[in-house]
Amino acid sequence: MARRRQLYEGKAKILFEGPEPGTLVQYFKDDATAFNAQKKGVITGKGVLNNRISEYIMMRLGEIGVPTHFVRRLNMREQLIREVEIIPLEVVVRNVAAGQMSTRLGIAEGTQLPRSIIEYYYKNDQLGDPMVAEEHITAFGWASVQDLDDIMALALRVNDFCSGLFLGVGIRLVDFKLEFGRLWDNEEMRIVVADEISPDSCRLWDVKTNEKLDKDRFRRDLGKVEEAYQEVARRLGILPEAGVRDLKGPETMQ
Ligand code: ADP
Ligand code: MG
């Protein structure tokens, strides 16, 4: 059993060469970072849960015709994905004021926004992922006007669908971050949802108590971080029966 070739190690995931050309294996780590990696830690079992949660959401999105990179889950910590050309943007959709929006604009956390707001950040760790306008994105060629149209439409569809999905299990989708990539089928290019959708990339609040069920528990040292991720999986009905404590994680097998 040969180990797959590692292509990239990021803050939360590792990418390995996939079994066929055009595919990758995405391995979910327990490592957690915040504030542009100034704060580092481990959330035990996070990788297992994010692998499941992202699988579940991407599959549901696929069922309503939102294209994603997801192919199938391989094991507790790994999923097979289509390799895409990542558009270097973090696309944030906000429904309720929180985080940076609250601090930058002085809007109290928890304020319902009059409508969903999409923001773009240039995905560049050295620069601290600065916020950018559509003007920058098209002028610097990170995405075309057509790409941005597609990205915006997809982001809003993901928002509407996921807002409903989470509300159905008593969770408010406050905001979330998406990454998109270009996928070629022969000469045709499609933009698809890539990366992950999980409590690492979403703000999720309990509808009744406003309790935070996401990475803010880690960012703000609120405790019960593992429990929060588990609670999201439990409510979605996908908590792994075997539990999440495969601390070492399985070897990556061919
Ligand atoms: P980072 O520290 O750069 O955020 P992560 O730990 O999140 O990295 O690992 C995932 C990396 O893989 C990200 O850089 C993300 O942009 C990239 N990625 C996600 N999905 C795909 C895909 N389908 N094809 C190629 N790259 C991807
Ligand atoms: Mg990332």
Side-chain angles (χ1 to χ4, degrees), residues 69-119:
H69 71 163
F70 182 81
V71 180
R72 66 174 177 277
R73 190 168 58 81
L74 297 172
N75 55 49
M76 294 274 274
R77 285 182 185 269
E78 294 178 326
Q79 51 181 246
L80 186 67
I81 57 175
R82 306 276 301 270
E83 180 172 23
V84 301
E85 183 188 301
I86 288 285
I87 294 168
L89 295 175
E90 303 214 330
V91 179
V92 172
V93 185
R94 298 179 182 273
N95 301 305
V96 174
Q100 270 194 49
M101 169 177 261
S102 293
T103 46
R104 273 192 323 112
L105 304 180
I107 301 171
E109 264 210 338
T111 309
Q112 180 77 42
L113 300 175
R115 59 183 178 80
S116 303
I117 293 175
I118 304 185
E119 298 172 343

Short mmCIF file of all heavy atoms in Angstrom, two decimals, residues 69-119:
data_model
loop_
_atom_site.label_atom_id
_atom_site.label_comp_id
_atom_site.label_asym_id
_atom_site.label_seq_id
_atom_site.Cartn_x
_atom_site.Cartn_y
_atom_site.Cartn_z
N HIS A 69 -17.25 20.41 -6.03
CA HIS A 69 -16.08 19.57 -6.34
C HIS A 69 -16.20 18.17 -5.73
O HIS A 69 -15.39 17.30 -6.03
CB HIS A 69 -14.79 20.25 -5.85
CG HIS A 69 -14.62 20.27 -4.36
ND1 HIS A 69 -13.41 20.52 -3.75
CD2 HIS A 69 -15.51 20.08 -3.34
CE1 HIS A 69 -13.56 20.47 -2.44
NE2 HIS A 69 -14.81 20.20 -2.16
N PHE A 70 -17.21 17.95 -4.89
CA PHE A 70 -17.29 16.72 -4.10
C PHE A 70 -17.61 15.50 -4.98
O PHE A 70 -18.52 15.54 -5.80
CB PHE A 70 -18.36 16.87 -3.02
CG PHE A 70 -18.49 15.66 -2.14
CD1 PHE A 70 -17.61 15.45 -1.09
CD2 PHE A 70 -19.48 14.72 -2.37
CE1 PHE A 70 -17.71 14.32 -0.29
CE2 PHE A 70 -19.59 13.60 -1.58
CZ PHE A 70 -18.72 13.39 -0.53
N VAL A 71 -16.88 14.44 -4.80
CA VAL A 71 -17.17 13.17 -5.50
C VAL A 71 -17.73 12.17 -4.50
O VAL A 71 -18.89 11.77 -4.59
CB VAL A 71 -15.92 12.58 -6.20
CG1 VAL A 71 -16.28 11.29 -6.92
CG2 VAL A 71 -15.33 13.59 -7.17
N ARG A 72 -16.93 11.75 -3.53
CA ARG A 72 -17.44 10.86 -2.49
C ARG A 72 -16.48 10.84 -1.30
O ARG A 72 -15.30 11.14 -1.43
CB ARG A 72 -17.67 9.44 -3.00
CG ARG A 72 -16.43 8.72 -3.40
CD ARG A 72 -16.73 7.27 -3.76
NE ARG A 72 -15.52 6.62 -4.21
CZ ARG A 72 -15.06 6.69 -5.45
NH1 ARG A 72 -15.73 7.36 -6.37
NH2 ARG A 72 -13.93 6.10 -5.78
N ARG A 73 -17.05 10.46 -0.16
CA ARG A 73 -16.21 10.33 1.02
C ARG A 73 -15.51 8.99 0.95
O ARG A 73 -16.10 8.00 0.54
CB ARG A 73 -17.06 10.44 2.29
CG ARG A 73 -16.24 10.56 3.58
CD ARG A 73 -17.11 10.97 4.75
NE ARG A 73 -18.19 10.02 4.96
CZ ARG A 73 -18.05 8.86 5.61
NH1 ARG A 73 -16.88 8.52 6.12
NH2 ARG A 73 -19.07 8.05 5.76
N LEU A 74 -14.23 8.97 1.35
CA LEU A 74 -13.45 7.74 1.26
C LEU A 74 -13.35 7.05 2.61
O LEU A 74 -13.38 5.82 2.69
CB LEU A 74 -12.03 8.07 0.77
CG LEU A 74 -11.95 8.67 -0.64
CD1 LEU A 74 -10.52 9.14 -0.93
CD2 LEU A 74 -12.40 7.66 -1.68
N ASN A 75 -13.20 7.81 3.67
CA ASN A 75 -13.09 7.25 5.02
C ASN A 75 -13.34 8.35 6.02
O ASN A 75 -13.81 9.43 5.66
CB ASN A 75 -11.71 6.58 5.21
CG ASN A 75 -10.57 7.54 4.92
OD1 ASN A 75 -10.56 8.66 5.41
ND2 ASN A 75 -9.62 7.11 4.10
N MET A 76 -13.02 8.09 7.28
CA MET A 76 -13.34 9.04 8.35
C MET A 76 -12.82 10.46 8.09
O MET A 76 -13.46 11.44 8.45
CB MET A 76 -12.74 8.56 9.68
CG MET A 76 -13.36 7.28 10.20
SD MET A 76 -14.82 7.59 11.18
CE MET A 76 -14.10 7.88 12.80
N ARG A 77 -11.64 10.54 7.51
CA ARG A 77 -11.00 11.85 7.36
C ARG A 77 -10.76 12.29 5.94
O ARG A 77 -10.20 13.38 5.72
CB ARG A 77 -9.66 11.87 8.12
CG ARG A 77 -9.82 11.96 9.60
CD ARG A 77 -8.49 12.03 10.31
NE ARG A 77 -8.72 12.00 11.74
CZ ARG A 77 -8.89 13.09 12.49
NH1 ARG A 77 -8.82 14.28 11.94
NH2 ARG A 77 -9.12 12.98 13.78
N GLU A 78 -11.12 11.47 4.96
CA GLU A 78 -10.76 11.80 3.59
C GLU A 78 -11.96 11.77 2.65
O GLU A 78 -12.84 10.92 2.79
CB GLU A 78 -9.71 10.81 3.07
CG GLU A 78 -8.40 10.92 3.79
CD GLU A 78 -7.40 9.91 3.29
OE1 GLU A 78 -7.81 8.80 2.91
OE2 GLU A 78 -6.20 10.22 3.27
N GLN A 79 -11.93 12.69 1.71
CA GLN A 79 -12.93 12.65 0.64
C GLN A 79 -12.25 12.86 -0.71
O GLN A 79 -11.23 13.53 -0.82
CB GLN A 79 -14.03 13.68 0.88
CG GLN A 79 -13.59 15.08 1.14
CD GLN A 79 -14.77 16.03 1.39
OE1 GLN A 79 -15.01 16.92 0.58
NE2 GLN A 79 -15.50 15.85 2.48
N LEU A 80 -12.86 12.23 -1.72
CA LEU A 80 -12.39 12.38 -3.09
C LEU A 80 -13.08 13.61 -3.68
O LEU A 80 -14.30 13.75 -3.56
CB LEU A 80 -12.76 11.12 -3.88
CG LEU A 80 -12.23 11.02 -5.30
CD1 LEU A 80 -10.71 10.89 -5.31
CD2 LEU A 80 -12.87 9.83 -6.03
N ILE A 81 -12.28 14.47 -4.30
CA ILE A 81 -12.85 15.68 -4.91
C ILE A 81 -12.30 15.85 -6.32
O ILE A 81 -11.27 15.27 -6.67
CB ILE A 81 -12.51 16.94 -4.07
CG1 ILE A 81 -11.00 17.11 -3.89
CG2 ILE A 81 -13.21 16.88 -2.71
CD1 ILE A 81 -10.57 18.39 -3.18
N ARG A 82 -12.99 16.62 -7.14
CA ARG A 82 -12.45 17.00 -8.45
C ARG A 82 -11.43 18.11 -8.24
O ARG A 82 -11.69 19.05 -7.49
CB ARG A 82 -13.58 17.52 -9.36
CG ARG A 82 -14.76 16.59 -9.53
CD ARG A 82 -14.55 15.55 -10.59
NE ARG A 82 -14.30 16.08 -11.91
CZ ARG A 82 -15.24 16.35 -12.82
NH1 ARG A 82 -16.52 16.19 -12.53
NH2 ARG A 82 -14.91 16.79 -14.02
N GLU A 83 -10.31 17.99 -8.91
CA GLU A 83 -9.31 19.05 -8.83
C GLU A 83 -9.81 20.26 -9.62
O GLU A 83 -10.23 20.10 -10.77
CB GLU A 83 -7.98 18.56 -9.39
CG GLU A 83 -6.90 19.62 -9.32
CD GLU A 83 -5.53 19.10 -9.68
OE1 GLU A 83 -5.44 18.07 -10.40
OE2 GLU A 83 -4.54 19.72 -9.23
N VAL A 84 -9.78 21.41 -9.01
CA VAL A 84 -10.21 22.62 -9.71
C VAL A 84 -9.10 23.65 -9.64
O VAL A 84 -8.15 23.52 -8.86
CB VAL A 84 -11.51 23.21 -9.11
CG1 VAL A 84 -12.64 22.21 -9.16
CG2 VAL A 84 -11.28 23.72 -7.69
N GLU A 85 -9.25 24.67 -10.49
CA GLU A 85 -8.34 25.82 -10.40
C GLU A 85 -9.02 26.80 -9.44
O GLU A 85 -10.04 27.40 -9.77
CB GLU A 85 -8.21 26.41 -11.80
CG GLU A 85 -7.27 27.56 -11.92
CD GLU A 85 -7.40 28.16 -13.32
OE1 GLU A 85 -7.16 27.44 -14.32
OE2 GLU A 85 -7.77 29.33 -13.40
N ILE A 86 -8.46 26.88 -8.25
CA ILE A 86 -9.09 27.69 -7.21
C ILE A 86 -9.05 29.18 -7.58
O ILE A 86 -8.00 29.70 -7.97
CB ILE A 86 -8.40 27.46 -5.84
CG1 ILE A 86 -8.75 26.07 -5.28
CG2 ILE A 86 -8.76 28.55 -4.83
CD1 ILE A 86 -10.16 25.93 -4.71
N ILE A 87 -10.17 29.82 -7.50
CA ILE A 87 -10.24 31.27 -7.68
C ILE A 87 -9.80 31.89 -6.35
O ILE A 87 -10.34 31.51 -5.30
CB ILE A 87 -11.68 31.68 -8.07
CG1 ILE A 87 -11.99 31.10 -9.46
CG2 ILE A 87 -11.85 33.20 -8.04
CD1 ILE A 87 -13.44 31.17 -9.87
N PRO A 88 -8.79 32.77 -6.36
CA PRO A 88 -8.18 33.18 -5.07
C PRO A 88 -9.03 34.17 -4.28
O PRO A 88 -8.57 35.26 -3.93
CB PRO A 88 -6.85 33.81 -5.51
CG PRO A 88 -7.15 34.37 -6.86
CD PRO A 88 -8.13 33.42 -7.51
N LEU A 89 -10.27 33.77 -4.02
CA LEU A 89 -11.19 34.63 -3.29
C LEU A 89 -11.83 33.85 -2.17
O LEU A 89 -12.15 32.66 -2.33
CB LEU A 89 -12.31 35.14 -4.20
CG LEU A 89 -11.93 36.04 -5.35
CD1 LEU A 89 -13.15 36.33 -6.21
CD2 LEU A 89 -11.31 37.35 -4.85
N GLU A 90 -12.05 34.50 -1.04
CA GLU A 90 -12.93 33.96 -0.02
C GLU A 90 -14.22 34.74 -0.16
O GLU A 90 -14.24 35.97 -0.01
CB GLU A 90 -12.31 34.16 1.36
CG GLU A 90 -10.92 33.51 1.44
CD GLU A 90 -10.58 32.93 2.79
OE1 GLU A 90 -11.07 33.44 3.79
OE2 GLU A 90 -9.81 31.94 2.82
N VAL A 91 -15.26 34.04 -0.52
CA VAL A 91 -16.56 34.68 -0.75
C VAL A 91 -17.40 34.49 0.50
O VAL A 91 -17.71 33.37 0.88
CB VAL A 91 -17.25 34.05 -1.98
CG1 VAL A 91 -18.61 34.69 -2.23
CG2 VAL A 91 -16.35 34.18 -3.22
N VAL A 92 -17.71 35.60 1.14
CA VAL A 92 -18.44 35.54 2.42
C VAL A 92 -19.87 36.01 2.20
O VAL A 92 -20.10 37.05 1.57
CB VAL A 92 -17.73 36.41 3.49
CG1 VAL A 92 -18.57 36.51 4.76
CG2 VAL A 92 -16.35 35.85 3.81
N VAL A 93 -20.82 35.22 2.66
CA VAL A 93 -22.23 35.62 2.61
C VAL A 93 -22.69 35.83 4.05
O VAL A 93 -22.45 34.98 4.91
CB VAL A 93 -23.10 34.54 1.94
CG1 VAL A 93 -24.54 35.04 1.80
CG2 VAL A 93 -22.55 34.14 0.59
N ARG A 94 -23.33 36.98 4.28
CA ARG A 94 -23.76 37.32 5.64
C ARG A 94 -25.27 37.54 5.69
O ARG A 94 -25.82 38.23 4.82
CB ARG A 94 -23.08 38.60 6.11
CG ARG A 94 -21.57 38.51 6.18
CD ARG A 94 -20.98 39.82 6.64
NE ARG A 94 -19.53 39.77 6.68
CZ ARG A 94 -18.82 39.33 7.72
NH1 ARG A 94 -19.43 38.91 8.80
NH2 ARG A 94 -17.50 39.31 7.68
N ASN A 95 -25.88 36.97 6.70
CA ASN A 95 -27.31 37.18 6.94
C ASN A 95 -27.56 37.99 8.21
O ASN A 95 -28.57 38.68 8.33
CB ASN A 95 -28.02 35.82 7.07
CG ASN A 95 -27.85 34.99 5.80
OD1 ASN A 95 -28.18 35.44 4.73
ND2 ASN A 95 -27.31 33.78 5.94
N VAL A 96 -26.64 37.85 9.15
CA VAL A 96 -26.74 38.50 10.47
C VAL A 96 -25.37 39.11 10.74
O VAL A 96 -24.35 38.49 10.43
CB VAL A 96 -27.09 37.44 11.55
CG1 VAL A 96 -27.06 38.04 12.94
CG2 VAL A 96 -28.45 36.78 11.27
N ALA A 97 -25.33 40.30 11.32
CA ALA A 97 -24.03 40.93 11.60
C ALA A 97 -23.27 40.14 12.66
O ALA A 97 -23.84 39.72 13.67
CB ALA A 97 -24.24 42.37 12.07
N ALA A 98 -21.97 39.94 12.41
CA ALA A 98 -21.10 39.26 13.36
C ALA A 98 -19.66 39.47 12.91
O ALA A 98 -19.42 39.95 11.80
CB ALA A 98 -21.41 37.76 13.43
N GLY A 99 -18.73 39.09 13.78
CA GLY A 99 -17.31 39.09 13.41
C GLY A 99 -16.83 40.43 12.88
O GLY A 99 -17.16 41.48 13.41
N GLN A 100 -16.05 40.33 11.80
CA GLN A 100 -15.43 41.53 11.21
C GLN A 100 -16.45 42.59 10.82
O GLN A 100 -16.17 43.78 10.91
CB GLN A 100 -14.70 41.12 9.92
CG GLN A 100 -13.26 40.72 10.09
CD GLN A 100 -12.56 40.69 8.74
OE1 GLN A 100 -12.66 41.63 7.96
NE2 GLN A 100 -11.89 39.60 8.45
N MET A 101 -17.62 42.16 10.33
CA MET A 101 -18.59 43.16 9.90
C MET A 101 -19.02 44.01 11.10
O MET A 101 -19.13 45.24 10.99
CB MET A 101 -19.81 42.52 9.26
CG MET A 101 -20.94 43.53 9.07
SD MET A 101 -22.37 42.88 8.26
CE MET A 101 -22.08 43.46 6.61
N SER A 102 -19.23 43.37 12.23
CA SER A 102 -19.65 44.11 13.42
C SER A 102 -18.56 45.05 13.89
O SER A 102 -18.82 46.21 14.20
CB SER A 102 -20.01 43.13 14.54
OG SER A 102 -21.16 42.41 14.17
N THR A 103 -17.31 44.55 13.93
CA THR A 103 -16.24 45.40 14.45
C THR A 103 -15.92 46.54 13.48
O THR A 103 -15.75 47.68 13.91
CB THR A 103 -14.96 44.59 14.74
OG1 THR A 103 -14.70 43.72 13.64
CG2 THR A 103 -15.13 43.73 15.98
N ARG A 104 -15.89 46.24 12.19
CA ARG A 104 -15.52 47.28 11.22
C ARG A 104 -16.58 48.36 11.12
O ARG A 104 -16.27 49.55 10.98
CB ARG A 104 -15.31 46.67 9.82
CG ARG A 104 -13.91 46.15 9.57
CD ARG A 104 -13.65 45.83 8.11
NE ARG A 104 -14.80 45.27 7.43
CZ ARG A 104 -15.47 45.90 6.48
NH1 ARG A 104 -15.10 47.08 6.07
NH2 ARG A 104 -16.52 45.33 5.92
N LEU A 105 -17.84 47.96 11.12
CA LEU A 105 -18.92 48.91 10.84
C LEU A 105 -19.72 49.30 12.08
O LEU A 105 -20.65 50.10 11.98
CB LEU A 105 -19.84 48.33 9.76
CG LEU A 105 -19.16 47.92 8.45
CD1 LEU A 105 -20.17 47.36 7.47
CD2 LEU A 105 -18.42 49.09 7.83
N GLY A 106 -19.35 48.74 13.21
CA GLY A 106 -20.04 49.11 14.45
C GLY A 106 -21.50 48.68 14.49
O GLY A 106 -22.34 49.38 15.04
N ILE A 107 -21.77 47.55 13.90
CA ILE A 107 -23.14 47.01 13.93
C ILE A 107 -23.16 45.88 14.96
O ILE A 107 -22.35 44.96 14.88
CB ILE A 107 -23.55 46.49 12.54
CG1 ILE A 107 -23.48 47.63 11.53
CG2 ILE A 107 -24.94 45.88 12.57
CD1 ILE A 107 -23.64 47.20 10.09
N ALA A 108 -24.06 45.97 15.92
CA ALA A 108 -24.07 45.00 17.02
C ALA A 108 -24.19 43.58 16.48
O ALA A 108 -24.97 43.31 15.55
CB ALA A 108 -25.24 45.30 17.96
N GLU A 109 -23.39 42.67 17.05
CA GLU A 109 -23.49 41.26 16.68
C GLU A 109 -24.92 40.78 16.90
O GLU A 109 -25.52 41.10 17.92
CB GLU A 109 -22.52 40.41 17.53
CG GLU A 109 -21.21 40.15 16.83
CD GLU A 109 -20.57 38.83 17.21
OE1 GLU A 109 -20.87 38.28 18.29
OE2 GLU A 109 -19.77 38.33 16.41
N GLY A 110 -25.42 40.06 15.94
CA GLY A 110 -26.77 39.52 16.07
C GLY A 110 -27.82 40.34 15.34
O GLY A 110 -28.97 39.91 15.24
N THR A 111 -27.42 41.52 14.82
CA THR A 111 -28.38 42.33 14.07
C THR A 111 -28.72 41.65 12.75
O THR A 111 -27.81 41.35 11.96
CB THR A 111 -27.79 43.74 13.78
OG1 THR A 111 -27.31 44.30 14.99
CG2 THR A 111 -28.82 44.65 13.13
N GLN A 112 -29.99 41.40 12.53
CA GLN A 112 -30.42 40.82 11.25
C GLN A 112 -30.14 41.83 10.14
O GLN A 112 -30.50 43.01 10.28
CB GLN A 112 -31.92 40.52 11.33
CG GLN A 112 -32.51 39.90 10.08
CD GLN A 112 -32.19 38.41 9.95
OE1 GLN A 112 -32.24 37.68 10.92
NE2 GLN A 112 -31.85 37.98 8.74
N LEU A 113 -29.51 41.43 9.07
CA LEU A 113 -29.22 42.36 7.97
C LEU A 113 -30.47 42.51 7.10
O LEU A 113 -31.25 41.57 6.97
CB LEU A 113 -28.04 41.84 7.15
CG LEU A 113 -26.73 41.67 7.95
CD1 LEU A 113 -25.65 41.03 7.10
CD2 LEU A 113 -26.26 43.02 8.49
N PRO A 114 -30.65 43.70 6.51
CA PRO A 114 -31.85 43.92 5.70
C PRO A 114 -31.93 42.98 4.50
O PRO A 114 -33.01 42.67 4.00
CB PRO A 114 -31.74 45.38 5.26
CG PRO A 114 -30.34 45.80 5.55
CD PRO A 114 -29.82 44.92 6.63
N ARG A 115 -30.76 42.57 4.01
CA ARG A 115 -30.72 41.52 2.99
C ARG A 115 -29.37 40.84 3.08
O ARG A 115 -28.45 41.36 3.72
CB ARG A 115 -30.96 42.10 1.59
CG ARG A 115 -29.95 43.13 1.18
CD ARG A 115 -30.32 43.70 -0.20
NE ARG A 115 -29.42 44.75 -0.63
CZ ARG A 115 -28.24 44.55 -1.17
NH1 ARG A 115 -27.77 43.31 -1.34
NH2 ARG A 115 -27.48 45.56 -1.54
N SER A 116 -29.24 39.68 2.43
CA SER A 116 -27.97 38.97 2.46
C SER A 116 -26.92 39.80 1.75
O SER A 116 -27.19 40.39 0.70
CB SER A 116 -28.10 37.62 1.77
OG SER A 116 -29.13 36.88 2.39
N ILE A 117 -25.74 39.85 2.33
CA ILE A 117 -24.65 40.67 1.78
C ILE A 117 -23.49 39.74 1.42
O ILE A 117 -23.10 38.89 2.22
CB ILE A 117 -24.21 41.72 2.82
CG1 ILE A 117 -25.34 42.74 3.03
CG2 ILE A 117 -22.92 42.41 2.38
CD1 ILE A 117 -25.07 43.76 4.11
N ILE A 118 -22.97 39.93 0.20
CA ILE A 118 -21.81 39.14 -0.23
C ILE A 118 -20.57 40.03 -0.17
O ILE A 118 -20.61 41.18 -0.60
CB ILE A 118 -21.98 38.63 -1.68
CG1 ILE A 118 -23.28 37.82 -1.81
CG2 ILE A 118 -20.78 37.78 -2.10
CD1 ILE A 118 -23.45 37.18 -3.18
N GLU A 119 -19.50 39.48 0.41
CA GLU A 119 -18.23 40.20 0.47
C GLU A 119 -17.15 39.32 -0.14
O GLU A 119 -17.24 38.09 -0.09
CB GLU A 119 -17.83 40.48 1.92
CG GLU A 119 -18.78 41.34 2.69
CD GLU A 119 -18.43 41.41 4.18
OE1 GLU A 119 -17.66 40.56 4.68
OE2 GLU A 119 -18.94 42.32 4.84
#
